């Protein structure tokens, strides 16, 4: 600490300690080595806009898949995140909504741009984990679940518009003292962790889409900065929210599947972008969620609507003993 302080003064070299290495969590797989989880995004509206109906169906599907955990792709609390640790929206939009037995598992969450409009540190606070021990939200972190390694990436700081276009909204940038340094360090950490990973399936989760034909479309900053890192490191899936829809797009240059699950509550925007539709397998702009099932040789992705009806399935298989 003292040395770091001295270095900061003399050389400004202390980023290594300001931006610590990505925190890791171990999550055991089932006895047979398989893993299953649900993916949900853009949800916290105190049950409104079919949030409760989606939650009910998640409970049902979660039960039948015997899920190990839930992944939240961000925009956890609308409209403007939480106002503080004691904001009752936490209970009203999370604890009291996802009440099914099968959903009483660990939730791993990233932050969305709407979360950055409130007290961003409230969502990261250990106090929320005490109020509801399912909750775990961090900016960027890694979950090692043996058969799969999941890399959670804080994508909001990548989007330049949030820093320049501040007339309509304000963002809580505590923790992001310098956008440039933050992104650079984060990419370095993600690249290192991905390159060292020996997991059968490598999954990256962020709030913003890399590829989307929905309302917001592709996130250019991620296409430019994050996508090459994923392509170079054998990532299988990139999962996100942000566009309030369900989508599956296959990368044209790599095996990466882009999966949008941002339909946890308000949806039905009705706009599908006519531009780049290459690799599009599913676009559904109503409410719903996604499930993921993995073992050493197979993966199965399924999308569901607000009635729990299957909209789309995608299977991939890998050789049992190959190293990548
Ligand atoms: C709830 O879901 C139904 C069925 O998809 C849909 O018709 C309805 O518009 C949705 N309600 C809201 C408020 O989004
Ligand atoms: C993985 O799951 C598939 C389909 O559920 C099954 O056919 C296969 O035997 C499983 N493989 C292993 C290694 O458990
Ligand atoms: C994917 O695999 C599951 C078994 O794990 C099977 O039930 C399902 O029909 C398969 N889906 C497709 C589209 O092949």
């Amino acid at each position: 600490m003292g040395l770091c302080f001295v270095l900061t003064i003399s050389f400004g070299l202390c980023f290594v300690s300001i931006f610590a290495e990505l925190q890791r969590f171990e999550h055991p797989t089932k006895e047979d080595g398989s893993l299953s989880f649900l993916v949900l995004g853009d949800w916290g509206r105190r049950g409104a806009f079919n949030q409760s109906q989606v939650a009910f169906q998640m409970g049902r599907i979660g039960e039948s898949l015997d899920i190990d955990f839930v992944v939240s792709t961000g925009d956890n609390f609308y409209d403007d995140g939480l106002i503080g640790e004691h904001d009752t929206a936490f209970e009203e939009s999370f604890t009291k909504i996802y009440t099914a037995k099968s959903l009483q598992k660990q939730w791993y969450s990233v932050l969305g741009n709407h979360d950055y409009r409130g007290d961003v540190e409230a969502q990261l606070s250990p106090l929320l984990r005490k109020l509801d021990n399912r909750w775990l939200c961090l900016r960027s972190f890694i979950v090692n679940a043996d058969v799969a390694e999941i890399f959670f990436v804080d994508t909001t700081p990548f989007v330049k518009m949030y820093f320049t276009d501040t007339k309509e909204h304000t963002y809580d940038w505590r923790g992001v003292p310098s956008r440039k340094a933050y992104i650079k360090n984060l990419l370095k950490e993600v690249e290192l962790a991905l390159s060292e990973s020996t997991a059968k399936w490598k999954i990256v989760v962020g709030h913003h889409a890399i590829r989307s034909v929905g309302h917001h479309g592709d996130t250019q900053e991620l296409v430019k900065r994050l996508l090459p890192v994923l392509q170079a490191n054998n990532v299988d899936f990139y999962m996100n929210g942000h566009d309030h829809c369900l989508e599956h797009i296959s990368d044209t240059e790599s095996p990466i599947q882009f999966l949008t699950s941002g339909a946890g509550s308000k949806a039905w925007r009705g706009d599908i972008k006519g531009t780049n539709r290459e690799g599009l397998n599913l676009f559904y702009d109503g409410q719903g969620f996604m499930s993921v099932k993995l073992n050493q040789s197979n993966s199965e992705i399924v999308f569901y609507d607000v009635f729990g009806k299957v909209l789309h399935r995608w299977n991939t298989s890998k050789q049992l003993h190959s190293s990548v």
Side-chain angles (χ1 to χ4, degrees):
M1 196 61 196
L3 176 65
C4 182
F5 183 64
V6 173
L7 284 174
T8 316
I9 294 172
S10 34
F11 314 109
L13 271 181
C14 241
F15 283 114
V16 268
S17 70
I18 294 168
F19 302 109
E21 235 179 81
L22 297 177
Q23 214 177 325
R24 276 178 177 276
F25 299 86
E26 303 290 323
H27 200 115
T29 51
K30 296 185 181 69
E31 256 170 51
D32 66 358
S34 71
L35 184 75
S36 57
F37 56 95
L38 301 180
V39 183
L40 174 78
D42 306 78
W43 41 270
R45 296 186 193 268
R46 296 182 167 87
F49 294 98
N50 288 344
Q51 188 195 353
S52 299
Q53 282 79 346
V54 172
F56 178 80
Q57 294 302 335
M58 286 172 66
R60 208 173 59 79
I61 304 294
E63 183 83 46
S64 72
L65 292 178
D66 186 20
I67 56 163
D68 298 283
F69 49 82
V70 178
V71 166
S72 166
T73 59
D75 275 7
N76 306 319
F77 301 99
Y78 284 102
D79 275 330
D80 298 320
L82 296 178
I83 54 173
E85 292 175 332
H86 299 283
D87 191 335
T88 54
F90 179 68
E91 276 196 292
E92 289 160 12
S93 290
F94 177 62
T95 305
K96 290 182 177 165
I97 302 293
Y98 302 103
T99 52
K101 189 163 162 264
S102 71
L103 304 179
Q104 308 309 307
K105 303 277 162 65
Q106 184 70 63
W107 284 53
Y108 294 111
S109 306
V110 287
L111 296 164
N113 51 309
H114 282 261
D115 300 314
Y116 265 99
R117 290 186 197 168
D119 176 346
V120 79
E121 292 186 353
Q123 290 197 48
L124 311 174
S125 162
L127 181 73
L128 294 198
R129 289 177 229 163
K130 280 199 193 126
L131 293 176
D132 190 325
N133 64 13
R134 295 177 289 172
W135 187 251
L136 181 70
C137 180
L138 295 171
R139 291 179 202 265
S140 300
F141 59 105
I142 299 172
V143 173
N144 180 9
D146 220 8
V147 67
E149 204 162 359
I150 313 180
F151 306 81
F152 293 81
V153 178
D154 186 20
T155 57
T156 304
F158 278 82
V159 182
K160 191 149 188 224
M161 187 181 75
Y162 304 142
F163 291 80
T164 54
D165 185 9
T166 50
K167 263 181 254 133
E168 257 187 87
H169 304 291
T170 54
Y171 296 86
D172 180 356
W173 294 127
R174 278 176 300 167
V176 190
S178 151
R179 173 175 175 259
K180 241 174 136 172
Y182 187 89
I183 296 172
K184 192 173 164 207
N185 181 75
L186 180 51
L187 285 169
K188 204 182 79 200
E189 292 293 343
V190 170
E191 184 161 27
L192 180 69
L194 280 171
S195 70
E196 285 176 347
S197 172
T198 55
K200 193 81 185 186
W201 303 96
K202 295 190 204 180
I203 301 171
V204 177
V205 174
H207 176 64
H208 295 78
I210 294 178
R211 288 282 326 281
S212 171
V213 299
H215 180 75
H216 296 101
D218 300 352
T219 307
Q220 291 311 332
E221 293 90 339
L222 296 181
V223 170
K224 204 170 141 203
R225 306 288 303 274
L226 183 60
L227 181 56
V229 174
L230 310 194
Q231 287 171 332
N233 286 284
N234 304 306
V235 167
D236 299 282
F237 303 109
Y238 179 75
M239 302 176 178
N240 60 276
H242 197 47
D243 264 332
H244 295 180
C245 61
L246 300 170
E247 275 180 286
H248 172 203
I249 301 176
S250 300
D251 192 13
T252 49
E253 285 159 38
S254 79
I256 300 173
Q257 305 301 316
F258 301 109
L259 306 165
T260 297
S261 184
S265 59
K266 196 175 187 177
W268 300 116
R269 261 188 147 131
D271 47 343
I272 174 163
K273 290 241 177 339
T275 49
N276 186 5
R277 287 204 202 176
E278 239 179 328
L280 183 61
N281 303 300
L282 169 76
F283 175 80
Y284 176 74
D285 73 345
Q287 286 108 352
F289 60 100
M290 182 175 98
S291 72
V292 180
K293 222 172 114 182
L294 304 165
N295 66 16
Q296 286 294 337
S297 60
N298 291 67
S299 72
E300 189 186 4
I301 307 286
V302 185
F303 290 89
Y304 310 84
D305 72 7
V306 71
F307 305 109
K309 197 187 97 194
V310 171
L311 296 165
H312 176 63
R313 275 179 203 276
W314 176 262
N315 287 5
T316 354
S317 59
K318 285 189 181 188
Q319 276 177 348
L320 252 182
H321 298 294
S322 74
S323 57
V324 279

